[in-house]
């Protein structure tokens, strides 16, 4: 009896401090992102990056801290989710009407969706795919063409484009079934190049000039081009798309979590561990591989549609091989099969080139060097794969 | 008509030999290292810039004119330096990914390719713009009563010589024996007192230098060089190597000839073919890999349980 009361007392103390850890780390993350977005001076940007690096090194050298935070999040999942949703909701208010920072947030969130999409393949099942950029492009073009030629509204174009992208994902998945490793990588590269070249040369996609004048979406009579007023505070028009893409990220996270804990996610992990052993256990490897391609393309199609309607202008150069490589890097650098890691990777690699404008011409060079340095210094990614947890806690 | 046909045939063979010089490097490196060195094309395309820069420096500082002889000398220098560049990249970067998952090495070398291209763009004077690249032989020669450009003939002869040289190196020298030993079984080779590290460096030197020959001829063929030429040509060289079956030299050559053949054919026959050539080439790649998943000459790996 007495031991039980002691244990409940310590559990109570644990949950209070656990809650504090959760709130503090989420606040710190949001504050860091805000500072990073608003930083003008490149020295400040470098200092922030250095701080981030130091935090990573500390986490790596003292695993107890990492485990403590991880346990706190695992114990306080509901509170963590509520705080995170509130923070995401409040974030645009903290940017003080800086439209550029808000724009970067939208793009980073779209890339987070793309990286999560690729994570199903690369992270869960270890299937390389250099064509996520192509699926993104197919989604964007499909919805833009529907809107421009048939006057389809954004809300209808969104699922339609996702369906078109998913079909193309199946199309890519079919020839990929027979090939593996580098050969599979080449099939996806080839698919990406073919899609890019077709977009660049066909009449109805507008050729190299792309498509212009994609109409702005509306919701209940509120045009997404007009400023958003919440609680009497006027936010710039980008805030509309900020919330829209935040919802998409949330859906993707939910989707990723549900899939990860389902039989499908387990089958993908089995594929990653050993293809042959998985087949011997009665897993239809072909079907799960094709499914991974389709799921990747499905989410990429959504991201593409939002991008097309947000920017209002798309051209083949938005969907090159380099875009696919960038998404691959986000997943690998962030941490394969780790949802938080992939999102952090996406934000970091989207914001980094933008924040390095001080180096203007040398941005791409710097980007390449950073990627190589990352892969050499922390090959397992910022947040490495976690073991599956079973049982309640 | 016969004229035109012969001209196209020659175009095909020239392009095929140039692609083959790049593709054998991919295949050789994969055979020995078991990783894809995606920036191989970008390493190779450093050579034309080095050659061009060397010519300009020489003409500016020495009392010589840009004669074909000087150009040839500079090209040889470029081949040497490109080979060394390959070794340097191996030591600095690629070595660290030897035991990493294959995709990590692939992404790292893609990034390395970006770095190389951007370095050329920034370090070479006026690097963003195309530069005219001279051919060190000009004029025409009559073959079977048809005049063809001498450069094309020289390109084909040199490429064949380079590939024959590579085969001789691999099959008839001590170094070649060691390279083959390491590619077959790294640990067994080590037991035979062969240092894999040294063999890796030697392979990088050979592959980069041969790729450099291809790049220089490509620049001569196009009469032009630009920092981003290596994207397309590198990708095509990689595709040719995969099409033939990674690790197989003969496969790389057959793959290159196939791709160059389709490339030339599409440009000559299909209306507006020049803009659709990559579509056809990569559809061919997908089609071949569907039916031959390990390439044309690749060993099909059968896992036994």
């Amino acid at each position: 009896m007495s031991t039980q009361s002691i244990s409940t007392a310590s559990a109570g103390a644990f949950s209070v401090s656990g809650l504090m850890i959760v709130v503090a780390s989420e606040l710190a993350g949001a504050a860091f992102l805000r500072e990073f977005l608003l930083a003008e001076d490149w020295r400040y940007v470098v200092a922030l990056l250095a701080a981030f690096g130091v935090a990573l090194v500390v986490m790596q050298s003292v695993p107890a801290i990492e485990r403590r935070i991880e346990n706190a999040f695992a114990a306080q999942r509901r509170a963590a989710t509520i705080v995170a949703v509130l923070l995401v909701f409040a974030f645009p208010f903290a940017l003080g009407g800086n439209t550029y920072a808000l724009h970067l947030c939208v793009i980073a969130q779209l890339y987070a969706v793309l990286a999560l999409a690729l994570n199903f393949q690369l992270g869960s099942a270890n299937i390389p795919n250099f064509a996520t950029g192509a699926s993104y492009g197919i989604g964007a073009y499909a919805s833009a063409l529907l809107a421009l030629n048939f006057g389809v509204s954004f809300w209808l174009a969104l699922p339609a484009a996702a369906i078109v992208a998913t079909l193309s994902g199946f199309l890519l998945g079919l020839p990929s079934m027979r090939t593996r490793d580098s050969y599979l990588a080449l099939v996806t590269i080839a698919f990406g190049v073919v899609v890019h070249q077709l977009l660049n040369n066909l009449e109805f996609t507008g050729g190299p000039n792309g498509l212009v004048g994609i109409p702005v979406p509306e919701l209940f009579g509120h045009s997404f081009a007009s400023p958003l007023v919440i609680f009497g505070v006027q936010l710039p028009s980008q805030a509309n798309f900020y919330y829209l893409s935040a919802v998409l990220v949330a859906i993707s996270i939910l989707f990723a979590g549900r899939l990860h804990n389902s039989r499908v996610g387990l089958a993908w992990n089995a594929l990653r561990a050993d293809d042959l052993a998985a087949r011997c256990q009665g897993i239809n490897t072909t079907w799960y591989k094709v499914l991974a391609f389709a799921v990747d393309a499905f989410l990429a199609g959504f991201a593409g549609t939002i991008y097309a309607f947000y920017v209002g202008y798309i051209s083949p150069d938005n969907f090159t091989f380099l875009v696919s490589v960038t998404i691959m890097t986000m997943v690998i650098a962030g941490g394969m099969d780790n949802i938080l890691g992939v999102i952090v990777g996406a934000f970091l690699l989207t914001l980094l080139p933008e924040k390095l404008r001080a180096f203007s011409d040398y941005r791409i060079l710097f980007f390449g060097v950073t990627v190589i340095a990352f892969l050499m210094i922390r090959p397992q990614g910022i947040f490495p794969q976690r073991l599956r947890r079973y049982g309640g806690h | 008509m016969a004229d035109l046909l012969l001209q196209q045939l020659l175009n095909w063979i020239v392009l095929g030999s140039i692609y083959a010089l790049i593709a054998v490097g991919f295949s050789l490196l994969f055979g020995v290292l078991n990783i894809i060195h995606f920036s191989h094309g970008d390493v190779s395309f450093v050579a034309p810039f080095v050659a061009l820069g060397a010519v300009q420096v020489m003409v500016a500082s020495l009392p010589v004119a840009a004669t074909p002889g000087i150009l040839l000398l500079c090209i040889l220098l470029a081949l040497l330096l490109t080979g060394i560049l390959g070794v340097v990249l191996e030591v600095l970067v690629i070595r660290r990914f030897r035991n990493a998952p294959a995709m990590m090495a692939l992404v790292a070398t893609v990034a390395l390719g970006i770095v190389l291209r951007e370095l050329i763009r920034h370090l070479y004077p006026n690097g963003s713009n195309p530069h005219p690249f001279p051919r060190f032989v000009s004029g025409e020669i009559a073959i079977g009563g048809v005049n063809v450009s001498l450069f094309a003939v020289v390109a084909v002869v040199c490429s064949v010589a380079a590939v024959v040289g590579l085969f001789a190196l691999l099959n008839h020298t001590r170094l070649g024996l060691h390279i083959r030993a390491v590619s077959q079984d790294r640990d067994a080779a080590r037991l035979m007192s062969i240092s894999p590290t040294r063999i890796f460096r030697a392979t990088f030197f050979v592959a980069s230098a041969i790729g450099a020959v291809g790049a220089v001829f490509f620049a001569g063929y196009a009469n032009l060089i630009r920092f981003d030429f290596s994207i397309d040509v590198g990708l095509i060289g990689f595709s040719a190597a995969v099409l033939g079956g990674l690790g197989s030299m003969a496969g790389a050559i057959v793959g290159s000839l196939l791709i160059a053949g389709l490339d030339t054919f599409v440009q000559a026959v299909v209306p507006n073919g020049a803009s659709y050539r990559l579509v056809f080439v990569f559809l061919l790649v997908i089609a071949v890999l569907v039916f031959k998943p390990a390439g044309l000459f690749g060993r099909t790996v059968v896992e036994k349980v």
Side-chain angles (χ1 to χ4, degrees):
Chain A
M1 189 64 201
S2 63
T3 49
Q4 201 177 357
S5 67
I6 289 172
S7 75
T8 42
S10 70
F14 176 75
S15 68
V16 169
S17 68
L19 191 63
M20 277 171 64
I21 290 177
V22 166
V23 173
S25 48
E26 287 192 356
L27 276 175
F32 180 84
L33 183 62
R34 180 185 177 274
E35 287 305 305
F36 195 66
L37 277 168
L38 295 180
E40 296 282 344
D41 193 348
W42 67 270
R43 276 164 297 225
Y44 189 42
V45 171
V46 172
L48 282 171
L49 280 178
F52 185 66
V54 168
L56 277 184
V57 169
V58 168
M59 293 249 274
Q60 197 161 18
S61 50
V62 192
I65 302 177
E66 199 174 344
R67 216 170 319 132
R68 185 84 177 83
I69 297 176
E70 209 186 316
N71 286 336
F73 270 88
Q76 302 282 344
R77 283 194 55 172
R78 182 164 302 169
T81 315
I82 293 171
V83 174
V85 168
L86 287 177
L87 277 176
V88 170
F89 177 75
F91 198 68
F93 296 94
L95 290 176
N98 186 331
T99 52
Y100 181 59
L102 209 50
H103 164 77
L104 288 184
C105 277
V106 175
I107 300 294
Q109 283 177 331
L110 290 181
Y111 269 101
V113 173
L114 290 169
L116 281 170
L118 181 64
N119 188 39
F120 291 118
Q121 285 194 292
L122 190 65
S124 305
N126 201 15
I127 303 169
N129 183 356
F130 283 95
T132 310
S135 303
Y136 180 44
I138 288 173
Y141 268 89
S143 58
L145 286 170
L146 280 175
L148 288 175
N149 295 337
F150 303 103
V152 175
S153 85
F154 170 75
W155 305 102
L156 274 178
L158 196 59
I163 289 169
V164 173
T166 311
L167 288 179
S168 85
F170 269 116
L171 205 66
L172 168 64
L174 291 177
S176 309
M177 288 187 305
R178 283 166 59 86
T179 51
R180 309 206 310 192
D181 304 334
S182 317
Y183 297 92
L184 178 54
L186 179 61
V187 171
T188 61
I189 292 172
F191 183 81
V193 173
V194 168
V195 169
H196 176 247
Q197 290 288 323
L198 285 178
L199 293 180
N200 208 5
N201 288 308
L202 289 174
E203 282 289 313
F204 72 96
T205 59
N209 300 326
L211 299 170
V212 287
I214 301 163
V216 178
E218 277 188 10
L219 184 63
F220 304 127
H222 170 73
S223 164
F224 274 34
S226 57
L228 187 65
V229 181
I230 301 177
F231 303 141
V233 181
Q234 184 170 335
L235 293 170
S237 62
Q238 280 86 352
N240 296 303
F241 283 96
Y242 170 86
Y243 288 118
L244 184 65
S245 49
V247 168
L248 186 63
V249 173
I251 291 173
S252 310
I253 293 173
L254 207 65
F255 200 50
R258 301 293 285 183
L259 272 174
H260 181 79
N261 291 322
S262 74
R263 196 185 147 73
V264 178
L266 205 56
W268 280 336
N269 281 177
L271 268 180
R272 179 181 65 198
D274 193 328
D275 194 309
L276 198 61
R279 212 175 318 163
C280 292
Q281 295 297 320
I283 293 171
N284 185 345
T285 51
T286 308
W287 165 246
Y288 282 108
K289 279 184 195 169
V290 176
L291 192 65
F293 274 100
V295 170
D296 169 61
F298 178 72
L299 279 181
F302 272 117
T305 308
I306 295 186
Y307 178 79
F309 280 81
Y310 171 52
V311 179
Y313 157 70
I314 49 176
S315 80
D317 286 342
N318 298 123
F319 313 106
T320 53
F321 173 57
L322 201 61
V323 173
S324 301
V325 172
T326 312
I327 302 168
M328 287 277 278
T329 317
M330 287 167 179
V331 175
I332 291 177
M336 298 231 245
D337 214 13
N338 183 321
I339 295 172
L340 176 67
V342 167
I343 295 174
V344 171
F347 268 82
L348 199 64
L349 283 174
T350 315
L351 300 184
L352 203 57
E354 298 295 329
K355 283 289 139 187
L356 294 172
R357 291 229 176 251
F359 301 95
S360 56
D361 274 357
Y362 293 89
R363 274 190 314 147
I364 305 173
L365 179 64
F366 203 83
F367 177 75
V369 172
T370 317
V371 168
I372 296 174
F374 240 115
L375 293 177
M376 290 206 302
I377 296 166
R378 202 172 155 95
Q380 73 272 41
I382 303 172
F383 295 100
Q385 244 167 48
R386 304 253 184 269
L387 289 176
R388 281 173 175 272
R389 288 190 193 213
Y390 291 102
H393 26 86
Chain B
M1 187 64 206
D3 263 31
L4 206 62
L5 201 64
L6 192 77
Q7 192 57 50
Q8 293 298 349
L9 211 63
L10 196 70
N11 273 347
W12 167 36
I13 295 179
V14 172
L15 212 54
S17 342
I18 291 171
Y19 290 163
L21 288 174
I22 312 263
V24 288
F26 274 109
S27 214
L28 184 67
L29 288 169
F30 182 83
V32 177
L33 293 152
N34 243 323
I35 63 166
I36 303 276
H37 175 36
F38 208 87
S39 45
H40 175 62
D42 302 292
V43 174
S44 306
F45 271 83
V46 171
F49 282 97
V50 174
L52 208 58
V55 169
Q56 276 159 8
V57 168
M58 271 177 137
V59 170
S61 58
L62 298 173
V64 289
T67 56
I70 294 289
L71 184 60
L72 199 63
L73 191 71
C74 293
I75 287 175
L76 289 177
L77 179 75
L79 300 191
L80 184 73
L81 289 178
T82 310
I84 294 172
L85 175 67
V87 179
V88 169
L89 292 180
E90 144 76 4
V91 173
L92 284 183
V93 180
I94 297 160
R95 185 161 60 96
R96 294 167 215 275
F97 293 97
R98 196 157 296 144
N99 298 318
M103 279 314 118
M104 212 159 263
L106 191 58
V107 170
T109 50
V110 169
L112 190 60
I114 297 174
V115 171
L116 281 174
R117 280 199 298 275
E118 289 297 311
L119 278 178
I120 292 179
R121 193 154 81 93
H122 291 299
L123 295 183
Y124 197 83
N126 217 347
S128 302
N129 301 331
H131 295 269
F133 193 86
R135 295 175 171 179
F136 52 87
V137 284
S138 50
E140 296 202 321
I141 186 175
I143 299 178
V146 182
N147 286 338
V148 294
S149 106
L150 189 61
F151 174 80
V153 177
V154 172
V156 173
V157 170
C158 287
S159 307
V160 171
V163 170
V164 169
L166 178 65
F167 272 89
L169 175 81
L170 286 178
N171 292 322
H172 298 291
T173 64
R174 205 174 165 74
L175 176 66
L177 191 69
H178 289 182
I179 290 179
R180 281 182 293 140
V182 171
S183 75
Q184 270 179 19
D185 192 327
R186 202 175 291 174
D187 296 322
R190 200 196 295 271
L191 290 176
M192 301 297 128
S193 86
I194 299 169
S195 156
T197 312
R198 275 180 52 197
I199 295 304
F200 291 148
R201 289 178 193 169
T203 313
F204 263 95
F205 183 85
V206 172
S208 306
I210 287 196
V213 178
V216 167
F217 277 122
F218 188 86
Y221 178 72
N223 246 321
L224 205 67
I225 185 67
R226 217 173 62 197
F227 76 99
D228 56 359
F229 271 10
S230 56
I231 303 179
D232 280 359
V233 182
L235 203 52
I236 286 180
F238 173 62
S239 307
V242 176
L243 206 61
L246 279 168
S248 156
M249 299 295 125
I253 294 165
V254 172
S256 307
L257 287 175
L258 258 179
I259 287 183
L262 186 68
D263 195 342
T264 323
F265 179 79
V266 167
Q267 294 204 44
V269 175
V270 178
N272 198 11
S275 34
Y276 285 103
R277 51 182 276 263
L278 286 179
V279 173
F280 280 92
V281 165
F282 285 101
L283 284 179
L284 172 78
V285 169
I286 295 177
V288 169
L289 288 181
V290 166
F291 294 106
K292 299 281 285 179
L296 294 171
F297 291 77
R299 271 175 296 134
T300 319
V301 184
V302 181
E303 263 184 280
K304 287 194 177 152
V305 194

